[in-house]
Amino acid sequence: MNRITRNTRLAAAILCAAAGTLAGSAHAAGEARNVIFFLGDGMGPVTVTAARIYKGEKQLAARPGSLASPERAHLVMQSLPFAARVKTFSLDGQTTDSAPSMAAYMTGVKMRNEVISMSSDTTAVDGTGIQYINGENTTCPPTNGKAVDTLLELAKAKGRAVGAVSTTRVGHATPATTYAHICNRNGYNTIAEQSTPGHANYNPKLLDGIDVLMGGGQRNYLPKSLNPSSKRTDNVDLVAAMQAKGYAYVDTGTKLRAVDTAATGKLLGLFSQSEMAYELDRVKQNLDQPSLSEMTEKALGVLSRNDKGFFLMVEGGRIDHALHGTNAKRALEDTLAFDAAIQTALDYMNRKDPGLKNTLVVVTADHDHAIAFNGYPKIGNPILGKVNGYADGKPSKAADGKPYTTLVFGNGGRPNASAGSQVNPEDGNKPWIAPARAPNRDDQSAMNTEDDNFLQEVGINLGAPGSETHGGGDVMLFAGGAGSKIFKGTLENIKVFDKVRQAAGL
């Protein structure tokens, strides 16, 4: 083959490849009338892997012999056919806060930490470093940045139904980025007002309102006259205001299960004062709160009635909180509950939209955590247990001759002299089991590292339980259904917005 012929064929191949790429992009554009965006808060790669193994352990306990080993279990999210890695840094931090990381997905704009769905010039603090909040009310100056459009608002403008569901309070960073605009994420009262049609602070881009909003957060919607735990500083009842605009309101799992979605146009569910319970506690304590799967199914029942389509965001928000607490067991339980909600959505939509021909499903995380998968444990070693080596099956020992667990954290908190730091208020004030971070490591030989209230060992002590930080690593993204083929490679988090918008024709 001479050089001219070779170059001609090379050029033809490049043109064909480019044409294929453009054709693929054109095919993806506008395919998805329906978008379900799943966000596992803080659900980095180690958490996903550990949850898969944990699921395998549960499966083998229920059905012995159903897997060769727990490592071979399958998560629903990992069954989606397309995958990518996502860079998570914010405008001002190598390690991001949840507000700008989720806002990057929802708006395509890089923001500073603690900023929710605002322009890049917005700041969460004043020139002296004081946060723009007073209690849970905003003090953001009106000249401090501008609101930027979110995917939920763009969908609403197209006449589609919209919703947000979370196991955190509905005004927490992740759900708030879909429908609110505020310079500091901690202005929870103001965020609640932005979701309430008719309020002076209502977000007009929501038009007649979010069609479904469910999670915790009663203390930001109900006044002290009705709710002694309220954080509101006025006597405004935002729940009553939303009911006056046609919302059905539920505050227990029992009431949510009774909702007839065929007869419900708008649905508000607030199931706790602040965050909802961890899945482990919800089940063990038999709390009358819905599971994430139940909320997801009811949300889809309301939203999917719109013939023009819908946008729904579903967050497994307490994965993040358990990781902040270095309580791996609750993090893994909530990750599996999140994965179960994905299965619920896939089953529901495959009945409504066979093959997901008009429905895009995206699953990702907003950031990682400082959790690590440790040592050389043997196949089948309990993921919450101490490491037993693959070579001899015996307990692995650190240089000090003491055992260590598979899951550890680079930093985090430990119980200290204060009584409040020593117990878990969400589990009847049972004491934490926490190896001390001291010059000499605690011997964990006799510790039950699989106890509900065991806190994994930390490398750097940052204070009391709950003080572990986010991690700056890339996270995984999985996608399936209409338009999902464009989710691949390594992406800036702001580019995820572009791809969802393209696939959904927004």
Side-chain angles (χ1 to χ4, degrees):
M1 182 186 300
N2 64 42
R3 187 170 63 183
I4 294 175
T5 303
R6 184 169 62 249
N7 289 347
T8 300
R9 291 186 178 179
L10 178 61
I14 292 171
L15 287 171
C16 287
T21 300
L22 291 172
S25 298
H27 185 55
E31 274 187 59
R33 288 202 308 269
N34 312 314
V35 175
I36 310 174
F37 194 100
F38 283 95
L39 195 287
D41 201 312
M43 189 186 68
V46 169
T47 301
V48 172
T49 302
R52 187 180 71 239
I53 295 171
Y54 189 56
K55 180 181 182 179
E57 292 174 10
K58 287 174 169 283
Q59 180 177 328
L60 284 169
R63 302 196 310 269
S66 59
L67 291 170
S69 74
E71 293 77 13
R72 292 167 172 82
H74 298 279
L75 292 177
V76 178
M77 68 183 84
Q78 293 183 311
S79 72
L80 297 174
F82 296 94
R85 298 280 286 199
V86 183
K87 303 174 186 178
T88 63
F89 62 91
S90 69
L91 188 64
D92 62 347
Q94 285 183 339
T95 300
T96 188
D97 159 52
S98 290
S101 55
M102 183 59 174
Y105 292 150
M106 291 298 104
T107 69
V109 177
K110 280 278 187 186
M111 297 166 209
R112 292 178 171 86
N113 282 353
E114 301 187 90
V115 174
I116 286 181
S117 299
M118 298 285 288
S119 54
S120 294
D121 57 339
T122 309
T123 61
V125 298
D126 65 19
T128 65
I130 302 298
Q131 294 200 10
Y132 283 123
I133 53 169
N134 180 14
E136 295 194 358
N137 299 308
T138 186
T139 60
C140 295
T143 56
N144 183 15
K146 297 178 181 178
V148 290
D149 290 340
T150 72
L151 288 171
L152 184 147
E153 292 168 343
L154 293 170
K156 190 72 176 178
K158 287 275 190 179
R160 300 177 188 179
V162 297
V165 169
S166 177
T167 52
T168 67
R169 63 194 116 167
V170 296
H172 214 265
T174 295
T177 62
T178 67
Y179 64 83
H181 305 274
I182 194 166
C183 77
N184 189 299
R185 59 177 286 180
N186 297 303
Y188 294 109
N189 289 335
T190 309
I191 291 169
E193 293 160 4
Q194 290 189 18
S195 74
T196 305
H199 195 279
N201 289 329
Y202 180 61
N203 175 9
K205 291 184 179 179
L206 299 177
L207 303 180
D208 66 340
I210 305 171
D211 299 287
V212 175
L213 185 61
M214 285 193 283
Q218 294 166 2
R219 70 188 195 183
N220 299 116
Y221 282 79
L222 295 169
K224 285 188 182 295
S225 59
L226 298 175
N227 177 15
S229 299
S230 178
K231 295 293 183 179
R232 296 202 61 78
T233 53
D234 55 25
N235 201 38
V236 175
D237 183 348
L238 298 183
V239 170
M242 294 182 78
Q243 288 176 309
K245 294 294 184 179
Y247 283 82
Y249 174 62
V250 291
D251 58 6
T252 67
T254 300
K255 292 177 182 177
L256 179 63
R257 286 186 281 275
V259 168
D260 178 4
T261 57
T264 303
K266 293 193 182 299
L267 178 60
L268 172 66
L270 301 174
F271 305 104
S272 58
Q273 290 293 339
S274 184
E275 272 61 68
M276 294 177 67
Y278 289 111
E279 179 68 4
L280 186 150
D281 300 314
R282 186 189 73 84
V283 173
K284 283 196 170 185
Q285 298 173 29
N286 196 28
L287 300 176
D288 195 5
Q289 294 183 9
S291 68
L292 188 59
S293 290
E294 289 176 314
M295 290 192 289
T296 299
E297 185 162 23
K298 287 294 186 180
L300 290 171
V302 174
L303 301 178
S304 64
R305 293 168 53 211
N306 188 320
D307 292 337
K308 293 182 180 180
F310 66 83
F311 175 89
L312 172 64
M313 190 288 299
V314 179
E315 183 198 23
R318 301 225 65 194
I319 300 168
D320 175 71
H321 296 170
L323 292 168
H324 277 302
T326 67
N327 183 203
K329 186 169 187 176
R330 282 183 171 80
L332 301 188
E333 289 281 358
D334 267 56
T335 302
L336 294 187
F338 176 70
D339 200 55
I342 298 168
Q343 184 68 68
T344 295
L346 293 175
D347 291 344
Y348 188 96
M349 290 311 300
N350 269 305
R351 293 192 296 271
K352 299 275 291 189
D353 177 23
L356 304 182
K357 293 180 181 178
N358 302 292
T359 303
L360 170 66
V361 177
V362 176
V363 182
T364 189
D366 49 350
H367 55 77
D368 200 354
H369 270 269
I371 188 172
F373 197 118
N374 202 31
Y376 291 100
K378 66 178 183 178
I379 285 289
N381 201 76
I383 192 62
L384 293 172
K386 295 177 276 285
V387 173
N388 293 297
Y390 71 90
D392 57 11
K394 295 180 180 179
S396 298
K397 303 290 181 68
D400 59 9
K402 299 171 185 176
Y404 53 89
T405 55
T406 301
L407 298 179
V408 297
F409 285 81
N411 65 57
R414 298 289 88 178
N416 53 42
S418 68
S421 75
Q422 298 170 15
V423 297
N424 180 3
E426 299 195 53
D427 191 15
N429 286 326
K430 292 178 182 175
W432 294 118
I433 302 171
R437 182 69 181 104
N440 294 313
R441 293 176 61 238
D442 276 352
D443 189 343
Q444 299 176 55
S445 299
M447 290 184 183
N448 179 9
T449 63
E450 299 179 54
D451 188 274
D452 294 350
N453 295 307
F454 181 79
L455 304 184
Q456 271 63 29
E457 199 166 8
V458 305
I460 300 171
N461 187 353
L462 295 179
S467 59
E468 182 263 359
T469 71
H470 294 172
D474 297 353
V475 297
M476 295 185 282
L477 180 148
F478 310 101
S484 59
K485 72 185 100 180
I486 62 177
F487 292 89
K488 56 188 176 181
T490 299
L491 308 172
E492 291 272 357
N493 53 8
I494 56 175
K495 297 302 180 184
V496 173
F497 166 85
D498 294 334
K499 291 186 180 296
V500 174
R501 187 175 189 179
Q502 175 186 344
L506 295 175

